[in-house]
Amino acid sequence: MTSSLTVENLSVRFRLPGATVHAVSDASFAVRQGECLALVGESGCGKSVMAHALMGLLPGNATVTGSAWLRTGDAPPLDLIAAPERVLARTVRGRRIGLVPQSPAAHLTPVRTARAQLAEALRELGSPATADELAARAGLDPAQLDRYPHQLSGGMAQRVVNAIALAGDPWLIVADEPTSGLDRPLVDATMAELRRLADDGRAVLLITHDLRAAERVADHIAVMYASRVVSHAPAAEFFAGPRHPYAAGLLEALPSRSFTAIPGRPPELTDLPKGCAFRPRCARSTDACSESPEAGPVACHHPLEHHVAR
Amino acid sequence: MLRADGIAVSYGRQRVLRDADLTVAPGVVTGLAGPSGCGKSTLARVLALMLRPDGGRLTVDGTEVRRWRQRAARDLRTKVALIFQQPRLAVDPRLTLREIAEEPFHATGRPPGPAADLADEVGLTPELLVRRPHEVSDGQLQRACVARALALRPRYVICDEMTTMLDASTQAHLVARLEAYRTETGAGILAITHDDELLTRWTGPSEGPIVRMG
């Protein structure tokens, strides 16, 4: 049976003194084995919080509602949101879901070799594999494992954290901004690695602000704006012309396209406007937009026609 | 002209730059490209008078730089501004965004310009100006860093991978802001990035040269 993650109506709120942060609102999407779903959006739109919510890594002042059903082969489905920490720690993190962190250089312990850190992950997860096998699987030369993190290039450090994420043989890889701060050849190499993981029958949830990186690897693109998933489409359809005005604006802002910013700025997550959150910046807004659009592939009252954005 | 001739820099025994030349002309955007680790950022720090090279000459509008960092002559130092890749590492986390943007005025003992103008120019709202770095996104923080860089009206602005961490729309906004500054003041911009599409697009309007390193 195919393994999958199905997120339904997921919301995350943070209580702050005198304010509530609406970090994720009513998000629904699914990702299956063999697929890569890219979750894109500007910084502060809630996409990293989503990743942390799925792995049970949110701080204590967070309230999570909705469900995230993890179906692993023939095992009974598990709701990641309702599951107790003990279950997440023992059966999910590292074993079913592997996390590729934001900054490999900062994620590795500087005073221990790559080999020691890989071996630790294997030992903790009770894996029979050796560090050398794991390194080879992640495209690393085992001879390089005896280096310390500062002796690794950015691309090699990236492969070490990929190898650690794969130590427990998870079928779902969550990659949280795996390319920030890397130069273009390294971004391309990292995306190729993620694509290879998906082609090997894993599922990849890629969280990124970089549309061009997403284009290289994703089968589906979900766009988040002000805590909501506003657009969800097959990648080819998305890059041919997104139907949500925000998604279209984001794509048009690329230097390879019109290179113009979307006017205005995103709302504060503590103070979201009523109705469509993109309304104040949207050229197409009408009175209908004072009502929240229904969540769906295009959460908009007046979506663009296909292919007009180009 | 901001002109570097034969710049050499070593970190310990590691030679990072050897005989590097670069000229940033006023009024145009000069592009600088190269793979990570080729010394782009080191050269950026030399050009901004923030790193004393082991060899070579740096001249700012014909005046040779002889003192570096805090010892540099103020009128030379304030002619060149530097914008970093990671705004979070480039600000004092205790300061509000307004204080960050106004730092150059305090450092040089000048009265700060009206904060509202500054906020507007880079797209920050008054309520964001009273926040501290941990309360804002990378994009919002980088806007404050751009305001800080432009505060003293520099003749040259070095943008070292300024938008690598940012989404496409914020990138387009900040580049447009720097282009507006350049056309208004005739300042010279050095755009350092490994993103060829961005480089072509950014240097295009002023027909500036693209220099490749490494």
Side-chain angles (χ1 to χ4, degrees):
Chain A
M1 199 184 143
T2 313
S3 301
S4 64
L5 170 71
T6 309
V7 173
E8 282 165 358
N9 308 108
L10 184 74
S11 295
V12 181
R13 304 279 176 266
F14 292 103
R15 286 184 311 276
L16 296 181
T20 303
V21 180
H22 296 246
V24 179
S25 302
D26 214 17
S28 301
F29 59 87
V31 56
R32 284 165 211 86
Q33 275 185 294
E35 274 182 7
C36 174
L37 169 68
L39 196 57
V40 301
E42 49 205 299
S43 64
C45 74
K47 56 195 194 302
S48 277
V49 170
M50 177 102 79
H52 287 99
L54 296 176
M55 302 199 72
L57 296 173
L58 291 175
N61 65 339
T63 315
V64 187
T65 56
S67 61
W69 288 100
L70 191 69
R71 293 183 178 83
T72 308
D74 296 324
L78 175 73
D79 181 2
L80 297 173
I81 306 308
E85 165 60 24
R86 198 171 48 85
V87 173
L88 293 176
R90 290 198 187 157
T91 71
V92 176
R93 288 198 292 263
R95 294 168 212 272
R96 297 186 192 178
I97 308 182
L99 178 70
V100 174
Q102 185 155 5
S103 157
H107 191 74
L108 295 167
T109 306
V111 295
R112 297 175 62 208
T113 62
R115 182 184 301 283
Q117 301 185 53
L118 260 175
E120 179 189 30
L122 289 166
R123 193 170 58 242
E124 289 299 317
L125 293 165
S127 166
T130 66
D132 282 0
E133 287 166 18
L134 202 57
R137 219 192 299 161
L140 268 171
D141 176 359
Q144 294 171 341
L145 283 184
D146 292 311
R147 299 191 187 182
Y148 289 90
H150 73 274
Q151 295 170 314
L152 298 169
S153 72
M156 273 149 51
Q158 181 66 49
R159 284 183 207 156
V160 172
V161 295
N162 286 357
I164 292 175
L166 294 173
D169 198 23
W171 62 266
L172 173 61
I173 303 292
V174 176
D176 186 7
E177 295 278 9
T179 59
S180 63
L182 302 185
D183 63 14
R184 199 44 63 178
L186 277 180
V187 170
D188 291 349
T190 305
M191 289 305 113
E193 294 281 323
L194 292 179
R195 188 63 244 175
R196 200 170 56 84
L197 294 176
D199 291 340
D200 279 354
R202 294 176 208 273
V204 176
L205 177 59
L206 168 66
I207 291 170
T208 186
H209 69 269
D210 186 342
L211 280 171
R212 276 184 299 159
E215 186 172 15
R216 295 190 76 91
V217 59
D219 301 299
H220 294 272
I221 307 278
V223 179
M224 267 184 96
Y225 181 73
S227 87
R228 284 178 192 277
V229 175
V230 294
S231 153
H232 192 304
E237 208 173 280
F238 178 87
F239 287 103
R243 301 194 57 212
H244 193 283
Y246 172 70
L250 202 57
L251 194 58
E252 278 302 299
L254 284 176
S256 55
R257 301 198 181 212
S258 69
F259 201 35
T260 42
I262 301 169
R265 40 187 97 79
E268 291 301 319
L269 297 182
T270 48
D271 186 24
L272 292 178
K274 281 219 171 355
C276 174
F278 189 57
R279 183 187 186 193
R281 304 173 73 183
C282 184
R284 297 167 68 87
S285 75
T286 59
D287 287 347
C289 304
S290 56
E291 297 284 324
S292 279
E294 234 175 271
V298 191
C300 181
H301 290 292
H302 38 67
L304 298 150
E305 296 300 318
H306 277 302
H307 307 298
V308 296
R310 263 207 115 144
Chain B
M1 294 278 189
L2 175 64
R3 190 167 165 177
D5 283 307
I7 298 292
V9 176
S10 300
Y11 295 126
R13 259 189 246 155
Q14 181 123 17
R15 176 62 64 92
V16 183
L17 288 178
R18 181 196 307 264
D19 205 17
D21 301 329
L22 187 74
T23 302
V24 182
V28 299
V29 180
T30 302
L32 178 61
S36 46
C38 74
K40 299 190 297 287
S41 293
T42 298
L43 187 56
R45 292 180 50 186
V46 171
L47 290 169
L49 283 66
M50 293 179 86
L51 178 71
R52 179 191 206 112
D54 300 318
R57 255 162 72 94
L58 179 71
T59 55
V60 183
D61 292 337
T63 310
E64 184 171 351
V65 176
R66 296 181 184 282
R67 290 156 164 273
W68 303 78
R69 295 177 65 85
Q70 310 88 315
R71 296 219 187 91
R74 179 176 289 168
D75 60 332
L76 282 185
R77 203 177 58 200
T78 53
K79 272 191 177 169
V80 190
L82 180 55
I83 303 171
F84 298 90
Q85 174 175 351
Q86 298 203 25
R88 236 161 261 288
L89 305 181
V91 299
D92 183 336
R94 299 167 300 179
L95 302 183
T96 63
L97 296 205
R98 179 195 305 267
E99 287 164 341
I100 288 166
E102 289 178 352
E103 268 184 294
F105 296 111
H106 297 301
T108 53
R110 301 180 205 187
D117 289 3
L118 194 147
D120 242 24
E121 279 182 13
V122 294
L124 285 172
T125 54
E127 62 269 23
L128 283 170
L129 283 176
V130 299
R131 299 217 195 152
R132 287 171 215 279
H134 71 275
E135 296 168 306
V136 301
S137 70
D138 283 345
Q140 290 162 342
L141 197 54
Q142 192 65 300
R143 288 166 198 256
C145 289
V146 170
R148 176 175 67 180
L150 303 185
L152 298 181
R153 305 270 131 191
R155 280 283 286 159
Y156 302 96
V157 187
I158 319 269
C159 306
D160 186 5
E161 301 280 7
M162 174 182 84
T163 58
T164 308
M165 311 278 289
L166 309 178
D167 64 275
S169 177
T170 309
Q171 166 173 287
H173 178 96
L174 289 182
V175 170
R177 177 63 208 116
L178 278 155
E179 278 299 274
Y181 178 76
R182 179 183 66 77
T183 45
E184 177 195 321
T185 63
I189 310 266
L190 180 67
I192 304 179
T193 172
H194 49 248
D195 182 337
D196 270 342
E197 282 174 0
L198 173 60
L199 214 51
T200 313
R201 202 71 195 238
W202 197 350
T203 53
S206 60
E207 294 174 7
I210 295 179
V211 180
R212 296 192 185 273
M213 279 178 79

